[in-house]
Amino acid sequence: MKTIFITGGAGYIGSHTAVELLESGYKIIVADNFYNSNINSIENIKKITGKDFNFYEIDICNKAELQKVFKDNEIDAVIHFAGYKAVGESVANPLMYYRNNIDSTLSLLEVMQEFDCKKLVFSSSATVYGEPEKLPLDENCRLMTTNPYGSTKLYIEGILKDLYTSNNEWGISILRYFNPVGAHKSGLIGESPNGIPNNLMPYIVKVANKEISHLNIFGNDYSTKDGTGVRDYIHVIDLAKGHVKSLDKLFRDESCLDVFNLGTGNGYSVLELVNTFIKVNNVEIPYQIVERRPGDIAECYADPSNAKENLKWKAELSLEDMCKDAWHYIKKN
Ligand code: NAD
Ligand code: UD1
């Protein structure tokens, strides 16, 4: 049985991936410093799966703490989720983003090298495509970033490519996520940002729950199907399964440096998401149209065919599932 070390495993995507890995027969070790999560998700991963695992409350930037994890456990591969992810905050405080996202990755890679663990899955983002060169976006599209958060992802992708060039015993899978939403069916783990959310689905959920009076829709004058922004929303469970498939491939291949888009290939508008949420959950979402959000793009969706062909992975859950599960999680918590 292979053992996977998950950094940032108490977070939104990490916790769902932990569940899918345990259910697929992998052993896991989880580390997190609870900067953006708490111990409940660790307990709930155990509750959902009925399986136990070692958890370390450590900062991934700290090499001595990482070395201890690698000394204590035989680790076959790592999935690196730990990082900061708020675009606006990264513009306001770029050094904090460069320090945490890049430092944690460098510490992790150095310790992996020291312990001869050379298989890594890295959480990248569709943000590395910036303003789309063409649609749908395939992995060979031009890369550019428009904010420090995105730049950390693009720099790390570059670091991983250089590392692989220096030693092709590495097996590295860079996963570019589109817009993860939804929650586990149990309602035990999901996304719960503190305060006013930045992203659309967590905002809709708070309006439906009457914590916020109404949704502001940022512009209806884009050249899209109904004028509102279009994105490739992907259920977090589908995304988590993509990680299992990418690990399976790392263990099959001698060595590789792969890049995969993880998206559905479908673009839905803000209004389509809002109306689907209203319909499947039978709730009210008052909204008003306001100015465009600076830095927003009109449309972004994936060409997921590379993952389909080479990972044998494809997103299966619908927009209805995403809306139902996001709401179920909030009602339960
Ligand atoms: P999240 O904030 O829920 O999870 C990240 C976890 O990492 C948190 O639990 C946090 O406490 C932990 N963490 C941060 N810095 C750490 C450090 N130095 N040491 C230890 N733990 C640390 O975010 P998420 O949505 O689960 O995202 C996971 C990864 O996927 C991130 O790297 C993010 O940039 C990337 N990503 C997320 C999205 C998205 O929309 N959610 C989209 C594309 C890419
Ligand atoms: C955001 C991040 C991006 C990240 C992606 C996936 C920004 C600027 N970009 O982008 O780096 O990769 O999430 O996590 O934050 N919207 C509203 N009202 C709201 C919130 C959003 O109308 O209150 C609209 C937006 O204009 C957009 C769509 O909803 O058209 C989706 O927005 P959001 O969820 O923030 O995701 P992205 O813009 O794709």
Side-chain angles (χ1 to χ4, degrees), residues 248-312:
D248 292 346
K249 180 172 186 297
L250 288 185
F251 288 120
R252 271 197 315 271
D253 291 356
E254 277 288 290
S255 97
C256 61
L257 175 69
D258 290 330
V259 183
F260 292 109
N261 281 341
L262 295 186
T264 64
N266 302 314
Y268 289 106
S269 72
V270 175
L271 281 173
E272 283 175 320
L273 182 62
V274 169
N275 290 328
T276 305
F277 197 96
I278 293 172
K279 192 176 95 208
V280 301
N281 295 319
N282 195 22
V283 291
E284 284 173 26
I285 313 282
Y287 66 80
Q288 64 183 30
I289 309 292
V290 299
E291 289 289 283
R292 291 182 179 191
R293 179 171 65 179
D296 263 357
I297 50 177
E299 213 163 358
C300 171
Y301 52 91
D303 173 350
S305 54
N306 183 27
K308 186 172 177 204
E309 205 169 303
N310 293 300
L311 291 182
K312 314 290 171 222

Side-chain angles (χ1 to χ4, degrees), residues 85-88 125-128 147 149-150 177-180 197-203 215-219 222 228-231 233 270 293-298 300:
K85 62 167 182 178
V87 173
S125 165
T127 194
V128 298
N147 57 71
Y149 163 70
Y177 313 151
F178 281 68
N179 290 57
N198 295 306
N199 296 117
L200 180 60
M201 182 67 104
Y203 207 103
L215 169 71
N216 288 318
I217 296 185
F218 300 139
Y222 286 105
T228 65
V230 165
R231 297 292 184 274
Y233 299 98
V270 175
R293 179 171 65 179
D296 263 357
I297 50 177
C300 171

Side-chain angles (χ1 to χ4, degrees), residues 114-134:
E114 185 184 331
F115 285 83
D116 199 29
C117 173
K118 296 208 183 72
K119 294 194 186 293
L120 175 76
V121 178
F122 173 65
S123 297
S124 189
S125 165
T127 194
V128 298
Y129 297 115
E131 181 75 42
E133 178 191 14
K134 62 164 188 155

